[in-house]
Amino acid sequence: MTDKTDLNDELRPEYDETLLKNGTRGKYAKQYTAGTNIARLEPDVAAAFSTEEAVNAALRFVLKKKDKAE
């Protein structure tokens, strides 16, 4: 049993259609990413860590080893 409803794809009167035209995709993307510091992990690497804290602890360990090696 599925629940089917008729979709009404008309723009509601309270929306100004002129504001929705000629938009620029990603207009604020550079500003948004400037305030973030995200590193994407590959799936196999992410699977090795259970939490964000575990990733940070491992990276801190690597940094300490690097400092001692120099």
Side-chain angles (χ1 to χ4, degrees):
M1 180 178 206
T2 60
D3 182 23
K4 290 187 177 185
T5 58
D6 291 333
L7 294 178
N8 185 359
D9 287 339
E10 296 296 319
L11 190 63
R12 291 183 176 180
E14 61 263 25
Y15 294 110
D16 183 1
E17 188 175 351
T18 60
L19 297 175
L20 301 175
K21 291 185 178 181
N22 301 322
T24 304
R25 185 174 180 92
K27 182 177 180 180
Y28 297 104
K30 192 178 285 187
Q31 292 172 317
Y32 175 76
T33 57
T36 61
N37 186 11
I38 296 175
R40 291 185 172 261
L41 301 178
E42 293 292 327
D44 60 324
V45 175
F49 299 98
S50 58
T51 64
E52 181 178 322
E53 290 79 16
V55 174
N56 287 325
L59 290 173
R60 286 187 183 101
F61 178 78
V62 171
L63 289 173
K64 283 182 186 178
K65 291 292 185 180
K66 179 186 169 217
D67 287 343
K68 289 181 182 180
E70 291 178 352

